[in-house]
């Protein structure tokens, strides 16, 4: 293979075309362009170093070395930023422009490469080594390359839209192959790094090879562009032709008076409209829109908008309904099968069905199940739908903050759709489904509107017969729908919305309830889910009780279900391990369920006892609180309601010398702090009544602390607890250790009612309390509690703080009250 020295000639060996060059030349960097020999091109110059290089060249013989930049983003390039091959050029003309710019017209003379770098400041200067290619007419390979390149360039010019025919004429008039090479390369549009390869090729043959590759890639790109353009033009032509034919058909139909449905395209849509069973006024509006649709060009954006609207209107149920199962005994059976306890909501559904049996039709009922997580609100709604034989649709409202989610968007908007209510009716396919509005207390509002306000019309029996969705823009009857809302906290539901619903509270499950639910529902369901339905897996009652007490702390049964699932997974692992051990000895079968060992283990009873629980679930997560029931000074036992049930809340008070102030610790909320202040103010006002010195708080710092300080606490129901704890610390008398209490205290010492009584009494029972102080106003609530909840507890009703004193301090005789 020839080396560069074999194919390139030096300045002395150059033919007559090689110019005589100075030893060094100013270097002019070029951005985004390659200038070839025999090419005349204007260069715009603004850099200070380039201006100085041009000035120096004009002072000498007007010759410069043109080198292209490797990266156009470089503002002040050095030799490392430039390609080493370029073109020696002659400056033909210099034109000064505003803003200190020069427009320099240069003519390429000969290719050259950088020899010795002379200087970089104040401008670039280097030795230029001219490169003159040898052309051997006897080289057939070179002749073939030249001919092929000529054909490709001719094809390129003829197919390129931006090159005039004069370019090809000038190319054909050139006889010198070298001039043809550079002329063709200059007129092909490509990146600098690609065109630079033509200058850097070692000999004339390699240069033509690079040119052929350059033109071939551009021809392929032109071919692809032409193909894409042809497809687009064909599609446009087809669409226009179809439009013209449709317009001609419409014109003929209008002339003949033929009322066609728009052909096969719109015929099915009209059939859907007719079969939908719409009310007369809505049907008339639908047909009016349908007639307008027939006259609308299919290419018009309005055509797709109106057609989609008609399709939605026809898909929404207008008259189709499911037959209600009005057998009261059957409904009761279904509800009892699916849920244990929950008598109040079950009775309410039976009342609803009883009225339906008598009148045949009722306006839609709106129920709201309120209770902590996991007590069965959502599953109860599903059971109600199953018992009635109706379709069940769930709408999750948690986090919804846009009114359009409920009412929809107007169809003029791009991507408009109906709201969640109409979409749910469309999915249900009947006018009387059961729709669950889940987490109605989790909605919020922002600049897009208030979704809870949009629900006012939906949940008002007097208004929802004419519910108007923004997308449909027609009245829709929701009065046949049984709406059931769920919420965790009642006070988070806006007042006007709460006023439209019948609230049914679902309280936390008691421990016996959870054990019974696990036996009846959770264990059978999980056995089936874990492939253990054929095995005799039995949980003892004590095992379930231990899981409830030591591994879960919740109002519902979700965590209980997860823990039981963990036990069953480990049981399944034991079974599969025993089967696998036997099958390895006898050869591995394709399916372990077909083995004799599998059938043998199915007959075994797999008992899960109380002792096995810790082996399956490791150490208990929650230890039962061992409350001391001994009498103490300054310590009172309160009761609190939490989102996972009830809990005991001891309040500790101490008096100590110091600045006269009240210190409250234990991460108390504002309401609880105010309860402590009110309790202290009440005692100071009535010090004589409680046989306390008038100055019992003078010069004393009173510290009130509620243990478990990392847990936030708030609420007014600890008022009586703080009052008695302060009174005990101030008087030095011990409070009963087996006494728990709850109630809000006013500045006059009155005891106000509280909530969550079911959970609080259960917490008192778990903590070993024997007596509980309850506000007199909650007497009715206690009487409605489940049977057995108050067994072992003495409930004492109090109207004021004075009523609590005979019970709270043992030294005082009292008369028991039930």
């Amino acid at each position: 293979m020839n080396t560069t020295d074999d194919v390139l000639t030096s300045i002395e060996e150059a033919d007559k075309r090689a110019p005589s060059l100075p030893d060094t030349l100013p270097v002019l960097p070029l951005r985004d362009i390659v200038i070839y020999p025999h090419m005349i091109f204007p260069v715009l110059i603004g850099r200070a170093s380039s201006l100085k290089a041009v000035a120096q060249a004009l002072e000498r013989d007007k010759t410069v070395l043109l080198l292209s930049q490797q990266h156009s983003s470089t503002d002040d390039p050095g030799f490392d930023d430039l390609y080493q091959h370029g073109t020696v050029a002659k400056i033909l003309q210099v034109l000064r422009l505003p803003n200190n710019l020069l427009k320099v017209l240069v003519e390429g003379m000969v290719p050259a490469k950088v020899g010795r770098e002379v200087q970089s400041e104040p401008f670039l200067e280097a030795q230029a080594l001219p490169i003159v290619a040898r052309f051997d007419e006897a080289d057939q390979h070179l002749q073939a390359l030249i001919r092929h390149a000529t054909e490709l360039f001719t094809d390129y010019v003829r197919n390129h839209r931006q090159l005039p025919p004069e370019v090809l004429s000038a190319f054909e008039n050139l006889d010198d192959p070298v001039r043809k090479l550079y002329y063709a390369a200059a007129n092909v549009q490509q990146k600098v790094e690609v065109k630079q390869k033509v200058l850097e090729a070692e000999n004339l043959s390699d240069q033509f090879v690079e040119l052929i590759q350059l033109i071939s890639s551009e021809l392929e790109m032109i071919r692809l562009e032409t193909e894409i353009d042809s497809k687009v033009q064909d599609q446009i032509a087809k669409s226009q032709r179809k439009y013209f034919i449709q317009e001609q058909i419409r014109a003929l139909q209008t002339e003949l008076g033929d009322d066609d449905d728009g052909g096969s395209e719109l015929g099915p849509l009209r059939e859907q409209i007719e079969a939908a069973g719409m009310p007369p006024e809505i049907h008339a509006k639908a047909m009016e829109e349908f007639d307008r649709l027939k006259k609308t060009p299919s290419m018009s954006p309005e055509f797709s908008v109106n057609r989609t609207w008609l399709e939605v209107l026809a898909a929404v149920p207008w008259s189709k309904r499911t037959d209600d199962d009005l057998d009261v005994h059957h409904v009761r059976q279904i509800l009892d099968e699916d849920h244990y306890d929950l008598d109040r909501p079950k009775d309410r559904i039976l009342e609803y069905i009883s009225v339906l049996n008598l009148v045949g039709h009722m306006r839609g009922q709106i129920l709201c199940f309120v209770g902590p997580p996991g007590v069965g609100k959502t599953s109860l709604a599903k059971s109600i739908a199953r018992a009635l034989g109706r379709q069940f649709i769930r709408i999750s409202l948690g986090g919804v903050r846009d009114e359009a989610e409920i009412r929809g968007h107007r169809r003029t908007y791009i991507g408009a759709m109906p709201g969640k209510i109409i979409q749910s009716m469309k999915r249900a396919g009947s006018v009387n489904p059961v729709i669950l509005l889940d987490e109605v207390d989790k909605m919020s509002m922002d600049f897009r509107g208030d979704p809870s306000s949009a629900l006012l019309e939906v949940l008002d029996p007097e208004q929802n017969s004419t519910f108007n969705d923004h997308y449909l823009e027609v009245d829709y009857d929701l009065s046949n729908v049984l709406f059931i809302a769920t919420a965790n906290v009642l006070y988070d539901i806006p007042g006007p919305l709460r006023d439209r619903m019948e609230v049914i509270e679902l309280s936390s499950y008691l421990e016996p309830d959870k054990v019974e639910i696990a036996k009846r529902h959770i264990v059978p369901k999980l056995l089936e889910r874990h492939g253990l339905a054929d095995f005799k897996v039995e949980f003892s009652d004590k095992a379930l009780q231990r899981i409830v007490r030591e591994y879960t702390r919740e109002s519902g049964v979700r965590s209980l279900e997860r823990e039981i699932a963990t036990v069953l997974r480990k049981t399944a692992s034991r079974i599969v391990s025993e089967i696998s051990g036997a099958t390895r000895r006898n050869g591995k079968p394709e399916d372990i369920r077909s083995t004799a060992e599998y059938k043998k283990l199915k007959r075994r009873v797999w008992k899960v006892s109380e002792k096995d629980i810790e082996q399956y679930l490791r150490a208990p997560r929650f230890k039962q609180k061992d409350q001391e029931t001994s009498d103490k000074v300054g310590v009172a036992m309160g009761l609190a309601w939490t989102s996972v049930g009830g809990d005991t809340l001891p309040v500790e008070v101490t008096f100590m010398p110091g600045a006269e102030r009240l210190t409250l610790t234990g991460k108390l909320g504002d309401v609880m702090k105010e309860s402590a202040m009110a309790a202290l103010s009440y005692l100071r006002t009535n010090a004589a009544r409680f046989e306390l010195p008038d100055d019992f708080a003078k010069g004393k710092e009173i510290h009130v602390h509620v243990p478990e300080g990392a847990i936030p606490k708030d609420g007014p129901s600890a008022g009586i607890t703080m009052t008695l704890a302060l009174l005990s610390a101030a008087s030095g008398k011990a409070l009963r250790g087996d006494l728990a209490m709850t109630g809000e205290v006013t500045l006059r010492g009155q005891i106000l009612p509280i909530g969550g009584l079911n959970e609080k009494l259960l917490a008192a029972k778990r903590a070993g309390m024997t007596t509980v102080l309850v506000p007199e106003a909650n007497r009715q609530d206690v009487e409605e509690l489940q049977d057995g909840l108050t067994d072992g507890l003495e409930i004492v009703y109090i109207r004021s703080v004075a009523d609590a004193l005979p019970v709270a301090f043992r030294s005082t005789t009292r008369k028991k009250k039930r």
Side-chain angles (χ1 to χ4, degrees):
M1 181 178 178
N2 293 333
T3 62
T4 304
D5 295 335
D6 296 330
V7 296
L8 300 177
T9 62
S10 63
I11 297 177
E12 292 79 13
E13 296 173 339
D15 58 15
K16 296 179 180 180
R17 292 174 297 178
S20 177
L21 300 179
D23 291 338
T24 61
L25 291 175
V27 176
L28 187 60
L30 302 178
R31 197 196 304 260
D32 293 328
I33 189 174
V34 176
I35 295 180
Y36 294 109
H38 316 296
M39 177 179 174
I40 299 176
F41 196 85
V43 180
L44 193 64
I45 296 174
R47 288 186 282 222
S49 59
S50 297
L51 292 173
K52 294 176 181 178
V54 171
Q56 186 64 32
L58 292 174
E59 291 179 2
R60 298 179 184 176
D61 59 348
K62 300 184 179 180
T63 305
V64 292
L65 176 59
L66 304 179
L67 298 177
S68 299
Q69 293 183 198
Q70 297 180 15
H71 303 287
S72 60
S73 58
T74 306
D75 290 330
D76 190 14
F79 282 106
D80 293 338
D81 301 315
L82 304 175
Y83 289 104
Q84 295 301 298
H85 286 73
T87 303
V88 176
K90 197 77 170 180
I91 298 177
L92 302 180
Q93 185 182 28
V94 176
L95 179 63
R96 188 170 297 279
L97 301 176
N99 300 325
N100 198 27
L101 297 178
L102 288 181
K103 186 175 183 181
V104 180
L105 189 65
V106 297
E107 179 183 7
M109 298 167 60
V110 65
K113 68 175 183 178
V114 177
R116 177 172 50 86
E117 299 173 3
V118 178
Q119 66 175 26
S120 297
E121 296 292 343
F123 57 86
L124 300 177
E125 187 173 2
Q127 178 189 19
L129 302 178
I131 302 172
V132 178
R134 289 178 177 176
F135 172 58
D136 186 359
E137 294 183 359
D139 189 346
Q140 294 183 357
H141 178 68
L142 178 58
Q143 292 288 357
L145 289 174
I146 295 172
R147 182 179 300 176
H148 185 43
T150 302
E151 293 173 355
L152 288 177
F153 184 71
T154 302
D155 192 17
Y156 174 77
V157 175
R158 288 173 178 170
N159 288 281
H160 201 287
R161 300 176 182 176
Q162 297 179 359
L163 291 179
E166 290 78 8
V167 173
L168 185 58
S169 300
F171 178 76
E172 292 174 346
N173 292 330
L174 295 175
D175 295 327
D176 186 358
V178 178
R179 284 180 172 267
K180 281 192 171 187
L181 168 73
Y182 293 129
Y183 183 85
N187 283 280
V188 176
Q189 298 178 1
Q190 254 294 3
K191 298 179 180 178
V192 170
E193 56 266 26
V194 178
K195 300 181 74 171
Q196 182 70 25
K197 292 180 181 179
V198 178
L199 283 176
E200 295 176 353
E202 294 182 347
N203 52 49
L204 193 57
S205 295
D206 291 344
Q207 286 182 306
F208 270 101
V209 170
E210 292 293 342
L211 177 63
I212 289 171
Q213 292 178 353
L214 177 64
I215 300 176
S216 298
S217 64
E218 283 300 298
L219 281 173
E220 181 65 20
M221 188 64 67
I222 292 174
R223 187 189 65 78
L224 291 174
E225 291 176 354
T226 304
E227 183 179 339
I228 293 171
D229 184 63
S230 177
K231 290 181 179 179
V232 172
Q233 294 299 328
D234 290 345
Q235 187 65 34
I236 294 174
K238 288 179 182 178
S239 300
Q240 290 178 341
R241 183 170 178 271
K242 182 180 179 181
Y243 171 73
F244 291 144
I245 293 175
Q246 288 176 343
E247 289 300 311
Q248 289 173 352
I249 292 173
R250 288 193 181 94
L252 291 173
Q253 288 173 348
T254 304
E255 189 70 24
L256 296 173
D258 184 11
D259 186 17
D260 184 60
D261 290 340
S264 59
E265 184 178 2
L266 298 180
L269 180 58
R270 177 161 189 160
E271 294 175 3
Q272 293 177 21
I273 295 173
E274 296 294 345
M278 302 176 187
E281 63 277 8
I282 298 176
H283 181 269
K285 182 173 183 179
M287 293 309 301
E288 179 184 346
E289 289 290 332
F290 182 78
D291 292 338
R292 184 181 298 127
L293 181 67
K294 291 193 301 182
K295 300 174 183 178
T296 304
S298 59
M299 298 296 296
S300 171
E302 188 179 356
F303 180 87
S304 60
V305 171
N306 291 344
R307 176 170 181 165
T308 304
W309 181 82
L310 284 171
E311 288 174 347
V312 173
L313 194 70
V316 174
W318 295 97
S319 56
K320 182 181 177 181
R321 60 187 303 126
T322 55
D323 295 330
D324 290 335
D325 188 341
L326 301 181
D327 186 345
V328 177
H329 298 291
H330 173 72
V331 173
R332 182 78 194 198
Q333 180 183 353
I334 295 294
L335 295 177
D336 288 341
E337 283 179 4
D338 292 347
H339 291 83
Y340 173 77
D341 197 24
L342 303 180
D343 291 331
R344 187 178 174 190
K346 291 178 181 178
D347 291 342
R348 180 63 185 83
I349 296 303
L350 294 176
E351 293 167 5
Y352 172 71
I353 295 174
S354 300
V355 175
L356 280 178
N357 274 291
L358 294 176
V359 301
H361 176 74
M362 272 186 74
R363 282 190 175 274
Q365 301 296 296
I366 294 93
L367 306 178
C368 181
F369 296 156
V370 178
V375 297
K377 301 183 293 296
T378 302
S379 59
L380 180 59
K382 290 182 181 178
S383 295
I384 291 171
R386 187 166 80 91
L388 291 174
R390 295 188 178 189
Q391 295 293 324
F392 175 77
I393 302 295
R394 174 180 171 271
I395 301 176
S396 178
L397 297 178
V400 172
R401 58 179 66 242
D402 188 356
E403 178 201 3
E405 294 276 352
I406 307 299
R407 287 187 173 274
H409 302 81
R410 300 199 180 276
R411 56 175 164 155
T412 52
Y413 292 110
I414 296 176
M417 62 179 65
K420 288 181 177 292
I421 301 299
I422 295 299
Q423 289 184 39
S424 299
M425 296 301 296
K426 181 182 174 183
R427 293 205 313 272
S430 62
V431 297
N432 62 335
V434 175
I435 293 184
L436 176 68
L437 303 175
D438 209 6
E439 310 291 357
V440 74
D441 58 331
K442 304 295 192 302
M443 290 186 296
S444 55
M445 60 180 293
D446 60 10
F447 64 92
R448 290 169 289 189
D450 184 3
S452 63
S453 298
L455 278 178
L456 295 178
E457 181 183 2
V458 176
L459 299 182
D460 191 340
E462 301 299 326
Q463 300 180 37
N464 63 9
S465 60
T466 57
F467 173 70
N468 194 285
D469 185 270
H470 288 161
Y471 182 81
L472 290 186
E473 295 180 328
V474 295
D475 291 339
Y476 189 81
D477 187 3
L478 295 174
S479 62
N480 296 302
V481 179
L482 174 58
F483 285 103
I484 300 177
T486 68
N488 295 129
V489 184
L490 187 61
Y491 56 76
D492 282 342
I493 305 175
L497 189 60
R498 186 169 62 243
D499 183 60
R500 285 164 166 78
M501 299 184 292
E502 179 180 347
V503 177
I504 299 176
E505 294 191 6
L506 278 66
S507 58
S508 304
Y509 289 122
L510 306 181
E511 183 180 298
D513 296 336
K514 293 182 179 181
V515 172
E516 197 65 32
I517 291 171
K519 291 165 60 178
R520 293 189 185 186
H521 302 286
I522 297 177
V523 172
K525 178 180 70 175
L526 292 179
L527 285 174
E528 184 72 30
R529 186 179 298 172
H530 290 80
L532 297 172
D534 295 336
F535 292 85
K536 298 177 181 179
V537 181
E538 298 178 359
F539 283 80
S540 67
D541 288 353
K542 290 187 177 180
L544 294 174
Q545 286 176 356
R546 186 172 185 187
I547 295 176
V548 171
R549 290 177 181 175
E550 299 183 5
Y551 293 91
T552 65
R553 180 164 292 179
E554 57 177 345
S555 301
V557 292
R558 287 178 181 164
S559 293
L560 176 61
E561 182 173 343
R562 285 193 289 269
E563 299 300 330
I564 293 176
T566 301
V567 174
L568 292 180
R569 286 196 302 272
K570 294 185 181 299
T571 303
S573 178
R574 284 180 54 196
I575 294 173
V576 173
S577 296
E578 291 194 25
I579 298 175
S580 300
T583 55
R584 276 199 302 269
R585 293 190 296 269
N586 303 324
K588 184 178 179 182
E590 294 183 0
D591 187 355
I592 65 171
R593 289 173 292 184
S594 62
T595 62
E597 189 69 20
Y598 179 86
K599 296 175 182 178
K600 177 183 176 182
L601 294 178
K602 281 172 57 178
R603 294 191 293 270
R604 187 198 297 183
V605 178
W606 300 82
K607 290 188 177 182
V608 180
S609 65
E610 182 181 8
K611 295 180 180 179
D612 298 329
I613 296 302
E614 189 163 347
Q615 177 186 349
Y616 287 127
L617 301 180
R618 306 294 177 86
R621 295 184 181 87
F622 307 102
K623 287 290 187 180
Q624 193 73 21
K625 289 184 179 179
D626 296 326
Q627 303 288 355
E628 282 193 45
T629 56
S630 59
D631 299 355
K632 295 186 183 65
V633 175
V635 179
M637 185 63 66
L639 297 173
W641 179 92
T642 69
S643 60
V644 295
D647 202 357
T648 53
L649 192 73
V651 175
E652 302 173 348
V653 178
T654 184
F655 283 67
M656 51 191 171
E660 190 173 325
R661 65 181 180 183
L662 176 63
T663 301
L664 303 170
T665 58
K667 208 169 186 179
L668 309 184
D670 291 339
V671 176
M672 206 166 184
K673 292 178 181 178
E674 292 166 0
S675 295
M677 296 175 188
L680 180 59
S681 298
Y682 171 71
L683 291 179
R684 295 179 69 174
T685 305
N686 298 274
R689 181 178 180 181
F690 297 114
E691 300 179 357
L692 297 175
D694 293 338
D695 59 349
F696 75 93
K698 188 174 182 180
K700 299 289 180 64
E701 180 180 351
I702 304 173
H703 188 170
V704 178
H705 177 68
V706 182
E708 297 186 9
I711 302 175
K713 311 168 189 71
D714 205 2
S717 63
I720 181 63
T721 311
M722 291 186 169
T723 302
L724 292 182
L726 285 166
L727 179 58
S728 171
S731 63
K733 297 179 180 179
L735 281 168
R736 286 179 55 185
D738 62 346
L739 173 70
M741 59 202 74
T742 181
E744 181 180 355
V745 173
T746 68
L747 281 175
R748 298 293 180 266
Q750 300 300 310
I751 308 299
L752 301 183
I754 46 82
L757 193 58
N758 185 78
E759 291 81 1
K760 291 179 179 179
L761 292 178
L762 181 60
K765 203 171 182 180
R766 284 201 306 262
M769 302 292 109
T770 61
T771 307
V772 181
L773 301 180
V774 176
E776 175 66 33
N778 287 108
R779 182 186 289 270
Q780 184 67 29
D781 298 329
V782 175
E783 293 174 355
E784 293 180 358
L785 293 176
Q786 302 176 33
D787 296 337
L789 180 59
T790 58
D791 292 349
L793 289 178
E794 180 185 2
I795 307 298
V796 179
Y797 300 100
I798 55 176
R799 289 187 174 88
S800 64
V801 174
D803 294 341
L805 300 183
V807 185
F809 299 100
R810 294 186 187 275
S811 58
T812 305
T813 60
R814 64 183 180 88
K815 183 179 180 180
K816 292 186 179 180
K817 294 193 287 183
R818 295 290 298 181

